[in-house]
């Protein structure tokens, strides 16, 4: 295997977190930095031609190629695992920018309570209220620690929204349940489309606290702290699964790549698929030597480096550590080991499908624009007399107007699924139907984790990740409760017919929920309970940092993108201000 | 392997500048009165194409509620998909072992979409000669099969995907439901027209971008 000239830093994966770290190191240090991205180049000027639902939202042209790199899945350790042969419940990106190019732009901070869900739950309800098989734990990092980094990330993205808690002062119209902000949103809230306005008015009349979704599809022209200027969103509706054709949606190729290109010490190699992190030294204090990867000509090469950042897709972070023999794999039978544990997703369901007698014009909107209520999120409401813990957000998005995936939904009074009656009803209801979504927290459990699959291999012959994941009664009862609330709101919105969500069964690998899986390389305050410390540094390999959703121990209900950027900026501070001055364990 | 070139023969008539394509279940030779458009088939043979066209028309009949699979050219769309990367499973993980799994983990079979169609269509021999009611009965018989679920899904795709893919001819599907296709901006309209239908004139991707778009089935 050929050894390439050594560099100071290798970053594995060119998505939000890897490129943000590259930008920070490029600006703050003179280190030589190489980003290795398995996919190809992306150019935002090509994005107008991507406004094609079939090729992008149905055939997933921006996503990980499952024909080469699938995952396997089972519901419990006593089940057999099967490959997810096609993309389904989550959609990892590939190419420069990763999933950050095709994300929806929902850009909310995590609620303070979720960073300490374990101790706060015990404090309020006692330990008995937690399910026996839970594995939630505090992050070791609080909202207050992260707040300055949230504010920094928002200034980069230009996030649009309406403040609900400014330095402790609650402000009606914003999300009064949010953590205290040191500063207002960089840009005002987006426009509110019709369906979302119905939700806002109805929830307000019911005594709830609707707020406009914080969004990275910005409401007005904005120049960020790096001098990158973006236009206002035009509400064209092509966000989730697409690159933004005008760059109004914050995406890595728009806000990070132009800045990275100014720094000659940072380079990006595309079609570079990392296979292993090489390491040596004693077990408790090892040193990453660099990485091996398959380059675009198909040859495997060794890239030596002094410092390695692992920032690939959530599941692939665990996979690369498992394949590289770094850290002790989690064993659900004994509870030993931490690598691979606390695999969680989000509970996302159409809680109430609403059928109106008026057109909604719902082709106008964005992936993130809409109204939400947090009255039943996290621990914002009393669970004493409820049969579940935690919660989530009820929301009315306005991004559901593209027809291939939404045509065919008919009210419960229509029984057929094809033919004249169905076609007539589906055509009539196409633009008169929309759902109140529930997006809930998935608690971490001892039995939900990932390891290497013993049977199925990727195109290089390496074992793929096996996910062991299912819902528990906590999630099922949460969904039942939220479905009742959604139906109540739907009635107040004036829906003529409503289909309540039928109930949460087993985890479905086929139904798209979100790409926001978490866990596997979780952070914490001790190597006994976590893979990385609160600066995202690997406990046993101090010159290895792990970035992204894999470091989240559990929760919150909402998508983590903004939190991952805040964690990356937090880690960049730790590296630039402390680690580089004295390389070694940061405590 | 070479195969004899197969064509889908469509009668063409122009109505107000809009091309209307029709596929008659009785076959083609006798159909052509004025002009016949011969669309080269990429995957189906003639008989398969007729069966698919007729079956898609039972899923989306042409009636007073709007145009159907016939006008949209759904069969042309499906033919192109099955001949392309999707049809041969270029993006699905197709390594063994293949074992039936729980429904939550999706289709686990070995057969590709093109193989599923070829096999499924064998079981619909003579379908095009049945009465409409008999055709519905025959489809009811296979309603729970993977083949039918693909046929239904692809019919929806052929009705509502961008015309660059071969279906949704003249945007008849989009016009029926009030979807205007890809548009550059709704900035001035997104918070107006509450409770009223706002229906901009539909455009295709090629019209709005002014460039030739290469669809995925042609190897993008």
């Amino acid at each position: 295997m050929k050894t390439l000239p050594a560099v100071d830093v290798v970053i594995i994966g060119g998505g939000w977190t890897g490129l943000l770290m590259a930008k920070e190191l490029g600006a703050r240090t003179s280190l030589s930095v190489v980003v290795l991205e398995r996919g190809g180049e992306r150019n935002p000027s090509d994005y107008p031609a991507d406004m094609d639902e079939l090729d992008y939202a149905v055939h997933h042209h921006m996503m990980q190629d499952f024909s080469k790199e699938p995952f396997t899945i089972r519901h419990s350790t006593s089940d057999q695992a099967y490959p997810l042969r096609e993309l389904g419940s989550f959609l990892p990106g590939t190419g420069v920018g990763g999933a950050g190019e095709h994300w929806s732009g929902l850009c909310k901070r995590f609620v303070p309570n979720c960073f300490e869900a374990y101790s706060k739950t015990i404090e309020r309800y006692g330990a008995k209220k937690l399910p026996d098989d839970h594995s939630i734990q505090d992050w070791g990092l609080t909202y207050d620690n992260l707040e300055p980094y949230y504010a920094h990330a928002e200034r980069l993205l230009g996030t649009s929204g309406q403040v609900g808690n400014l330095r402790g002062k609650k402000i009606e119209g914003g999300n009064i349940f949010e953590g205290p902000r040191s500063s207002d949103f960089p840009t005002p809230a987006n426009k509110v489309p019709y369906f979302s306005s119905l939700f806002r008015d109805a929830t307000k009349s019911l005594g709830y606290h609707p707020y406009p979704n914080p969004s990275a599809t910005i409401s007005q022209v904005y120049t960020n702290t790096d001098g990158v200027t973006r236009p206002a969103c035009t509400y064209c509706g092509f966000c989730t699964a697409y690159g933004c054709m005008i760059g109004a949606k914050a995406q890595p190729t728009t806000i990070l790549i132009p800045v990275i290109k100014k720094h000659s010490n940072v380079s990006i190699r595309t079609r570079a698929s990392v296979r292993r992190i090489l390491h040596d030294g004693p077990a408790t204090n090892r040193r990453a030597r660099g990485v091996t990867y398959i380059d675009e000509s198909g040859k495997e090469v060794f890239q030596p480096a002094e410092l390695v950042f692992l920032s690939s897709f959530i599941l692939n972070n665990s996979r690369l550590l498992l394949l590289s023999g770094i850290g002790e794999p989690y064993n659900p039978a004994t509870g030993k080991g931490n690598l691979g544990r606390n695999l969680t997703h989000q509970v996302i369901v159409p809680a109430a499908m609403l059928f109106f007698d008026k057109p909604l014009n719902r082709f106008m909107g964005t992936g993130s624009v809409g109204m939400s209520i947090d009255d039943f999120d996290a621990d914002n409401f009393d669970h004493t007399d409820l049969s579940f813990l935690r919660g989530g957000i009820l929301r009315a998005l306005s991004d559901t107007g593209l027809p291939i995936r939404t045509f065919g939904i008919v009210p419960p009074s229509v029984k057929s699924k094809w033919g004249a009656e169905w076609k007539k009803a589906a055509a009539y209801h196409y633009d008169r139907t929309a759902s109140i979504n529930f997006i809930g927290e998935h608690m971490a459990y001892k039995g939900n984790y990932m390891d290497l699959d013993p049977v199925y291999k990727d195109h290089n012959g390496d074992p793929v990740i096996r996910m062991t994941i299912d819902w528990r009664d906590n999630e099922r009862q949460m969904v039942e409760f939220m479905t009742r609330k959604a139906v109540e709101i739907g009635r107040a919105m004036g829906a003529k017919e409503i289909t309540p969500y039928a109930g949460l069964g087993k985890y479905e690998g086929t139904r798209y929920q979100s790409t926001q899986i978490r866990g596997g390389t979780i952070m914490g305050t001790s190597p006994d309970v976590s893979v990385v410390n609160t600066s995202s540094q690997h406990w046993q390999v101090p010159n290895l940092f792990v970035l992204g959703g894999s470091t989240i121990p559990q929760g919150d209900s909402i998508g983590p993108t903004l939190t991952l950027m805040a964690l990356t900026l937090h880690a960049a501070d730790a590296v630039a201000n402390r680690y580089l001055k004295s390389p070694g364990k940061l405590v | 392997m070479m195969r004899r070139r197969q064509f889908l023969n469509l009668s063409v008539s122009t109505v107000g500048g809009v091309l209307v394509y029709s596929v008659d279940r009785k076959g083609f030779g006798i159909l052509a009165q004025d002009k016949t458009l011969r669309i080269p088939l990429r995957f189906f043979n003639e008989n398969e194409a007729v069966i698919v066209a007729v079956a898609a028309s039972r899923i989306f009949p042409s009636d007073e509620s709007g145009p159907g699979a016939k006008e949209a050219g759904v069969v042309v769309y499906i033919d192109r998909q099955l001949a392309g990367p999707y049809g041969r499973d270029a993006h699905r993980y197709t390594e063994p072992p293949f074992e039936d799994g729980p429904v939550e983990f999706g289709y686990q079979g070995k057969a590709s979409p093109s193989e599923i169609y070829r096999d499924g269509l064998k079981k619909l021999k003579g379908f095009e000669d049945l009465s409409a009611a008999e055709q519905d009965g025959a489809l009811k018989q296979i309603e729970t099969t993977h083949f039918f679920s693909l046929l239904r899904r692809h019919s929806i795709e052929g009705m509502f995907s961008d015309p660059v893919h071969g279906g949704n001819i003249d945007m008849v599907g989009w016009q029926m439901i009030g979807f205007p296709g890809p548009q550059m901006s709704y900035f001035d309209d997104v918070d107006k027209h509450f409770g009223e239908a706002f229906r901009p004139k539909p455009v295709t991707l090629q019209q709005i971008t002014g460039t030739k778009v290469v669809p995925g089935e042609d190897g993008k």
Side-chain angles (χ1 to χ4, degrees):
Chain A
M1 193 186 307
K2 187 177 157 190
T3 298
L4 302 173
V7 295
D8 296 320
V9 179
V10 154
I11 296 176
I12 304 164
W16 267 130
T17 60
L19 292 175
L20 181 55
M21 183 57 76
K23 179 186 87 79
E24 290 295 306
L25 294 177
R28 296 163 73 165
T29 75
S30 55
L31 301 173
S32 56
V33 178
V34 169
V35 179
L36 300 174
E37 165 54 42
R38 70 176 166 188
E41 290 268 11
R42 279 192 183 132
N43 191 342
S45 65
D46 295 334
Y47 287 162
D50 297 353
M51 296 169 74
D52 177 14
E53 189 187 8
L54 186 79
D55 278 350
Y56 287 82
V58 179
H59 290 165
H60 306 304
H61 277 211
M62 298 185 88
M63 320 300 182
Q64 174 169 328
D65 185 351
F66 268 33
S67 75
K68 296 187 175 120
E69 299 177 88
F71 302 105
T72 66
I73 187 165
R74 58 182 180 168
H75 287 127
S76 78
T77 49
S78 54
D79 294 334
Q80 184 187 336
Y82 298 86
L84 286 175
R85 292 184 180 274
E86 295 170 276
L87 285 149
S89 58
F90 55 95
L91 305 172
T94 198
V96 173
E101 297 297 290
H102 74 247
W103 73 314
S104 69
L106 262 171
C107 208
K108 189 168 172 272
R109 297 179 178 195
F110 279 7
V111 63
N113 173 282
C114 91
F115 295 91
E116 301 164 285
Y118 177 70
S119 52
K120 295 282 181 197
T121 300
I122 298 214
E123 192 182 302
R124 187 168 178 181
Y125 305 107
K128 275 195 191 143
K129 184 85 175 168
L130 279 163
D132 290 341
D133 58 342
H134 86 87
S135 65
I136 66 170
Q137 63 190 46
D138 294 350
W139 293 38
L141 200 65
T142 65
Y143 174 84
D144 290 343
N145 298 143
L146 223 44
E147 203 287 331
Y149 300 99
Y150 270 132
H152 183 173
E154 285 172 347
R155 288 194 296 274
L156 277 175
L157 299 168
T159 314
S160 300
Q162 193 167 340
V163 64
N165 183 343
L166 193 59
R167 292 182 286 273
K169 188 176 171 239
K170 304 268 173 129
I171 301 168
E172 285 293 330
N175 177 17
I176 59 161
F177 298 103
E178 71 175 348
R181 307 172 150 272
S182 57
S183 52
D184 199 347
F185 285 94
T187 51
N190 296 89
K191 295 187 177 200
V192 181
Y194 181 46
F195 175 64
S196 305
S197 80
L198 293 174
F199 179 87
R200 176 195 59 206
D201 298 345
T203 50
K204 212 169 174 179
S205 74
L206 292 167
Y208 303 134
H209 301 86
Y211 64 91
N213 293 331
S215 164
T217 54
I218 54 178
S219 60
Q220 61 183 41
V221 181
Y222 176 75
T223 303
N224 79 1
T225 36
D226 289 324
V228 176
T229 300
R230 285 149 53 215
C233 171
T234 65
Y235 307 92
C236 77
F238 288 84
C239 303
T240 313
Y242 311 88
C244 179
M245 60 167 179
I246 57 168
K249 179 173 81 179
Q251 47 204 10
T253 55
T254 306
I255 69 165
L256 299 178
I257 294 292
V259 186
I260 287 171
K261 282 191 171 157
K262 289 182 193 158
H263 301 297
S264 57
N265 56 326
V266 183
S267 61
I268 299 171
R269 291 181 202 151
T270 53
R271 312 255 174 233
S273 189
V274 175
R275 283 189 83 184
R276 298 288 186 275
I277 299 168
L278 304 188
H279 49 101
D280 58 18
T284 54
N285 192 20
R286 291 187 75 75
R287 187 184 71 96
R289 293 166 47 219
V291 305
T292 64
Y293 70 92
I294 297 177
D295 69 12
E296 59 183 340
S297 70
K299 287 203 185 71
E300 192 165 0
V301 294
F302 173 53
Q303 173 62 68
E306 291 299 317
L307 187 53
V308 176
F309 290 89
L310 174 55
S311 54
S312 68
F313 182 67
I314 304 116
L315 305 179
N316 295 334
N317 277 359
S318 288
R319 179 170 184 235
L320 201 56
L321 293 185
L322 288 162
L323 287 171
S324 304
I326 296 175
E328 186 182 355
Y330 173 66
N331 181 338
T334 62
K336 286 192 70 181
N338 288 303
L339 177 55
R341 82 179 175 92
N342 279 34
L343 172 63
T344 61
H345 197 171
Q346 284 165 299
V347 189
I348 302 189
V349 300
M353 190 64 73
L354 311 181
F355 299 90
F356 294 90
D357 59 358
K358 287 185 182 132
L360 302 171
N361 302 322
R362 67 197 174 100
F363 48 83
M364 299 191 284
T366 89
S368 52
V369 163
M371 300 293 295
S372 300
I373 58 165
D374 281 15
D375 297 75
F376 303 107
D377 189 28
D379 203 27
N380 296 345
F381 57 118
D382 186 9
H383 292 74
T384 307
D385 298 324
L386 297 173
S387 54
F388 64 93
L389 282 167
R390 315 303 296 165
I393 293 166
L394 289 162
R395 67 185 185 189
L397 288 175
S398 298
D399 75 328
T400 51
L402 300 184
I404 296 175
R405 286 170 308 158
T406 56
F407 182 89
I409 299 169
V410 289
S413 52
V414 178
K415 303 296 176 203
S416 52
K417 291 200 170 96
W418 55 275
E421 184 207 19
W422 169 79
K423 176 201 160 203
K424 186 180 176 185
Y428 175 82
H429 287 288
Y430 164 71
D431 192 36
R432 290 173 177 83
T433 305
S435 68
I436 296 174
N437 269 28
F438 172 65
I439 169 165
E441 194 173 318
H442 182 199
M443 195 180 279
Y445 297 99
K446 289 171 186 161
N448 286 347
Y449 73 107
M450 56 196 128
D451 60 1
L452 293 175
D453 190 277
V455 178
Y456 293 96
K457 309 266 193 287
D458 73 0
H459 66 131
N460 293 323
D462 289 328
V464 305
I465 274 286
R466 175 171 65 179
M467 306 165 69
T468 303
I469 187 168
D470 204 357
W471 312 121
R472 303 286 190 277
D473 280 349
N474 195 70
E475 288 74 52
R476 296 192 181 103
Q477 292 181 18
M478 179 193 291
V479 164
E480 207 180 297
F481 176 90
M482 301 298 174
T483 299
R484 284 199 301 275
K485 298 290 175 195
V487 169
E488 176 198 13
I489 295 165
R491 286 205 190 97
M493 287 169 73
K496 297 300 159 193
E497 286 192 75
I498 298 177
T499 305
Y501 187 66
L504 204 57
K506 287 185 160 295
Y507 182 92
E508 297 158 279
T510 48
R511 183 177 66 85
Y512 177 67
Q513 290 164 86
S514 79
T515 302
Q516 299 141 0
I517 303 236
R518 301 114 200 253
T521 70
I522 64 175
M523 66 167 53
T525 49
S526 140
D528 299 334
V529 295
S530 53
V531 173
V532 297
N533 64 27
T534 52
S535 299
S536 303
Q537 181 187 40
H538 197 280
W539 283 112
Q540 284 87 36
V541 190
N543 68 335
L544 170 65
F545 288 73
V546 185
L547 304 174
S550 62
T551 63
I552 295 182
Q554 80 276 326
D556 168 310
S557 56
I558 198 75
T561 305
L562 191 72
T563 301
L564 305 183
M565 296 185 76
L567 288 171
T568 301
L569 292 167
H570 179 257
D573 263 4
V575 170
N577 300 339
R578 296 196 282 141
Y579 179 86
L580 290 175
K581 288 182 182 133
S582 168
K585 291 186 182 182
L586 299 166
V587 181
Chain B
M1 189 182 70
M2 289 291 291
R3 66 179 183 120
R4 190 171 65 84
R5 273 203 101 175
Q6 304 270 337
F7 292 88
L8 182 60
N9 294 278
L10 300 177
S11 84
V12 178
S13 55
T14 42
V15 183
V18 179
L19 269 180
V20 177
Y21 296 68
S22 63
V23 180
D24 191 281
R25 66 185 176 87
K26 287 294 174 197
F28 304 115
I30 40 166
L31 174 75
Q33 289 104 357
D34 306 323
K35 278 189 256 173
T36 304
L37 188 73
R38 281 161 63 83
I39 295 185
L41 289 165
R42 298 183 185 182
F43 173 75
F44 294 129
N45 63 37
E46 271 180 57
N47 184 245
E48 288 171 329
V50 173
I51 295 172
V52 169
V54 175
S57 294
R58 296 316 305 160
I59 294 168
F60 277 99
S62 312
D63 55 23
E64 68 288 347
S65 74
K70 194 161 82 168
E71 290 77 15
V74 163
V75 61
V76 178
Y77 166 82
I78 297 178
D79 181 63
R80 291 184 187 180
Q81 285 299 320
L82 295 180
Y86 168 80
R88 59 177 180 272
D89 258 347
H91 301 298
R92 194 173 73 97
Y93 182 68
T94 50
E95 295 299 317
F98 297 97
E99 291 174 89
D100 280 345
V103 64
E104 293 90 0
F105 302 150
Y107 172 63
Q108 291 291 331
K110 185 168 189 286
S112 67
S114 55
E115 291 165 344
I116 291 164
Y117 266 81
R118 195 126 272 162
D119 184 57
L121 289 170
K122 277 186 200 142
K123 292 166 191 154
L124 288 179
K125 270 221 157 45
F127 181 80
E128 70 274 24
D129 294 323
L130 303 175
S131 71
E134 289 168 335
Q135 286 169 351
D136 286 352
L139 292 180
K140 277 240 181 301
Q141 296 273 313
I142 60 165
E143 217 174 16
T144 57
T145 63
H146 189 52
F147 166 58
F148 183 80
S149 76
L150 288 184
L151 180 66
R152 180 182 178 276
R153 192 202 304 166
H154 297 157
S155 297
I156 292 175
E157 291 171 4
M159 288 297 293
F160 304 114
S161 55
D162 193 279
V164 74
H165 298 288
N168 190 19
I169 290 169
D170 283 319
M171 300 176 276
V172 290
W174 288 352
Q175 291 178 58
M176 175 170 72
I177 60 174
F179 177 68
Q183 303 264 344
M184 287 300 174
S185 180
Y186 299 120
F187 188 84
D188 295 327
D189 295 293
V190 63
D191 53 354
K192 300 194 184 87
H193 314 286
F194 284 9
E196 293 160 15
F198 172 59
R199 299 290 179 253
K201 189 175 183 295
V203 287
T204 68
L205 188 53
Q206 299 202 141
Q207 287 168 344
I208 197 85
T209 59
T211 55
K212 190 166 161 35
V213 175
V214 182
E217 61 272 20
D218 290 354
K220 185 158 68 171

